[in-house]
């Protein structure tokens, strides 16, 4: 393989002189800070937020480095992993010229981000069993293909993508292979973040929004080579992860045991939910899930969705998504929430 980061980087980004903030320029300890036009008197809050945060969120990265076993220099932190997706487009895809490959049905933001950045999308649908169509992908790749997005476990189908197939892409594609592991904590499959030294074209996305229970804080991660992370840091807004998010993320990252207990509980609830759903006549299929949700093929997705909404229960209707016709995506909730769903569905059956 002849992957060369410099040849896929946009020329304007290669030549970009990044913004240098006050906090970038002076990194030591001082007693008087008159360099960033902040309000030196304080914040009208119980906690101090009047100083700009660390632009690189270094303390959070150090803690993540311990948890993940990946050096801090290989970690980028963003305002959700959605920000990392957007930065990939802005760094590597020339608008109106380059293209990316997505493998539907998959997470919707790859397509939205491509459209925002005026980047052509090549769709190579997953196979019937929601795996990669490697031949189709090979045919779709041309000299302007910069990124391939693989979501594993995949949203909305819930299954993991075969590791050997992803490895085939990593070994043969001269652009970046982006593996979105937002749901990896629920999966039996191994993460790809240990493979960064093996593949220079690998970018792994993870997030604190799912298993970590911090969706509102907006903290997403990208793991990649040091060279790729440097590009991300050049392109990102100066203070993309705010001080409240950094503080709370750091506090939460001390609570690994709590999160691991919840993961076990969620998996137990998922199994129970699947068993209960199997009893309904209108459930045609429940796809195997490696995530904290299940994709359920039903006889009447729109009708069931509407009925549940009237009962105050919201699931995700995927009926209009190609290869997901008739499907509802149901997040695994607490035992009480899952019971409420099942009880409502029982009443639908009786109606
Ligand atoms: N990737 C996938 C596969 C997702 O499902 C989501 C959230 N729905 C995201 C990324 C975005 O996560 P974040 O909250 O970190 O932006």
């Amino acid at each position: 393989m002849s992957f060369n980061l410099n040849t896929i980087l946009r020329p304007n980004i290669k030549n970009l002189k990044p913004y240098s903030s006050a906090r970038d320029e002076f990194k030591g300890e001082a007693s008087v800070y008159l360099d960033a036009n902040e309000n030196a008197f304080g914040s009208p809050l119980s906690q101090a937020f009047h100083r700009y945060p660390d632009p690189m969120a270094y303390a959070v990265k150090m803690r993540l480095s311990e948890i993940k076993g990946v050096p801090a220099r290989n970690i980028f932190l963003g305002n959700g992993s959605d920000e990392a997706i957007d930065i990939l487009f802005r760094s590597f895809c020339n608008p109106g010229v380059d293209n990316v490959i997505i493998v539907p049905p998959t997470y919707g933001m790859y397509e939205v981000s491509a459209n925002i950045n005026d980047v052509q999308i090549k769709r190579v649908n997953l196979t019937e069993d929601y795996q990669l169509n490697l031949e189709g992908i090979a045919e779709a790749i041309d000299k302007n293909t910069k990124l391939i997005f693989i979501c594993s476990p995949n949203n909305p189908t819930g299954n993991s993508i075969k590791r050997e197939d992803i490895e085939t892409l990593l070994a043969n594609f001269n652009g970046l292979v982006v593996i979105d592991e937002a749901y990896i904590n629920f999966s039996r499959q191994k993460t790809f973040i240990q493979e960064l030294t093996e593949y220079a074209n690998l970018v792994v996305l993870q997030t604190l929004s799912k298993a970590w229970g911090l969706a509102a804080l907006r903290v997403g991660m990208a793991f990649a080579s040091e060279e790729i992370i440097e590009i991300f840091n050049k392109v990102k807004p100066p203070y993309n992860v705010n001080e409240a998010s950094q503080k709370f993320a750091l506090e939460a990252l001390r609570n690994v045991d709590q999160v691991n207990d919840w993961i076990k509980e969620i998996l137990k609830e998922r199994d129970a939910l699947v068993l209960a759903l199997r009893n309904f006549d209108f459930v045609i299929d429940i796809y195997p899930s490696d995530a904290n949700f299940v994709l359920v093929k039903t006889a009447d997705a729109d009708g069931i969705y509407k009925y549940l909404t009237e009962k105050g229960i919201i699931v995700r209707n995927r009926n209009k998504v190609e290869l997901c016709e008739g499907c509802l995506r149901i997040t695994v909730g607490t035992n009480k929430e899952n019971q409420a769903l099942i009880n409502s569905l029982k009443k639908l059956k009786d109606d």
Side-chain angles (χ1 to χ4, degrees), residues 11 50 67 74 125 129 174 186-187 191-192 224 229 253 308 339:
H50 57 300
I67 294 174
N74 295 109
N125 281 356
D129 57 350
N174 289 332
F186 305 105
S187 174
T191 169
F192 268 89
I229 296 299
L253 289 169
L308 287 174
Q339 283 302 327

Side-chain angles (χ1 to χ4, degrees), residues 187-248:
S187 174
R188 286 156 300 173
Q189 304 298 317
K190 224 171 78 193
T191 169
F192 268 89
I193 61 174
Q194 312 306 341
E195 316 300 325
L196 296 177
T197 45
E198 186 80 18
Y199 301 107
N201 59 343
L202 168 63
V203 176
V204 180
L205 305 179
Q206 292 187 6
T207 178
L208 298 187
S209 298
K210 308 296 176 186
W212 280 93
L214 300 171
L217 286 191
R218 314 301 304 126
V219 181
M221 305 159 249
F223 301 88
S225 71
E226 203 173 342
E227 293 75 18
I228 295 174
I229 296 299
E230 275 169 15
I231 295 163
F232 271 68
N233 285 334
K234 243 168 94 163
V235 174
K236 79 178 182 68
Y239 304 109
N240 62 328
V241 181
N242 70 64
E243 179 67 11
S245 297
Q246 291 191 33
K247 265 193 181 158
F248 282 125

Side-chain angles (χ1 to χ4, degrees), residues 80-82 107 151 155 180 182-183 207 209-210 218:
S81 43
D82 284 343
Y107 180 46
C151 187
N155 176 5
D180 187 341
Y183 299 98
T207 178
S209 298
K210 308 296 176 186
R218 314 301 304 126

Side-chain angles (χ1 to χ4, degrees), residues 70-278:
V70 171
R73 63 177 181 277
N74 295 109
I75 305 175
F76 164 83
L77 291 182
N79 186 349
S81 43
D82 284 343
E83 184 178 38
I85 294 168
D86 184 59
I87 291 180
L88 281 162
F89 281 99
R90 287 192 288 144
S91 304
F92 297 104
C93 301
N94 294 293
V97 177
D98 290 330
N99 66 71
V100 300
I101 293 178
I102 63 168
V103 291
T106 193
Y107 180 46
M109 274 308 285
Y110 315 137
E111 179 157 352
V112 173
S113 230
N115 286 333
I116 291 170
N117 288 288
D118 191 19
V119 171
Q120 191 203 339
I121 299 155
K122 294 194 174 192
R123 288 178 195 78
V124 182
N125 281 356
L126 293 176
T127 57
E128 288 287 311
D129 57 350
Y130 297 145
Q131 290 296 331
L132 297 179
N133 168 1
L134 283 182
E135 267 174 37
I137 293 174
E139 273 167 34
I141 293 171
D142 65 29
K143 66 179 194 334
N144 294 321
T145 307
K146 296 297 185 74
L147 312 170
I148 300 179
F149 286 91
I150 309 291
C151 187
S152 182
N154 187 36
N155 176 5
T157 58
N159 64 297
S160 294
I161 304 297
K162 281 186 203 144
R163 195 174 182 88
E164 314 84 77
D165 288 356
I166 300 178
E167 286 167 348
T168 301
L169 288 181
L170 281 164
N172 293 293
F173 178 50
N174 289 332
L176 296 181
V177 177
V178 183
I179 309 176
D180 187 341
E181 294 187 341
Y183 299 98
I184 192 71
N185 305 76
F186 305 105
S187 174
R188 286 156 300 173
Q189 304 298 317
K190 224 171 78 193
T191 169
F192 268 89
I193 61 174
Q194 312 306 341
E195 316 300 325
L196 296 177
T197 45
E198 186 80 18
Y199 301 107
N201 59 343
L202 168 63
V203 176
V204 180
L205 305 179
Q206 292 187 6
T207 178
L208 298 187
S209 298
K210 308 296 176 186
W212 280 93
L214 300 171
L217 286 191
R218 314 301 304 126
V219 181
M221 305 159 249
F223 301 88
S225 71
E226 203 173 342
E227 293 75 18
I228 295 174
I229 296 299
E230 275 169 15
I231 295 163
F232 271 68
N233 285 334
K234 243 168 94 163
V235 174
K236 79 178 182 68
Y239 304 109
N240 62 328
V241 181
N242 70 64
E243 179 67 11
S245 297
Q246 291 191 33
K247 265 193 181 158
F248 282 125
L250 204 52
E251 194 182 325
L253 289 169
R254 289 194 206 105
N255 261 325
V256 185
D257 291 345
Q258 169 70 84
V259 174
N260 284 336
D261 287 348
W262 275 331
I263 292 169
K264 280 193 210 123
E265 183 111 4
I266 290 166
L267 296 187
K268 252 187 12 211
E269 284 297 327
R270 184 183 69 195
D271 291 346
L273 183 65
V274 168
L275 276 182
L277 287 169
R278 282 217 183 102

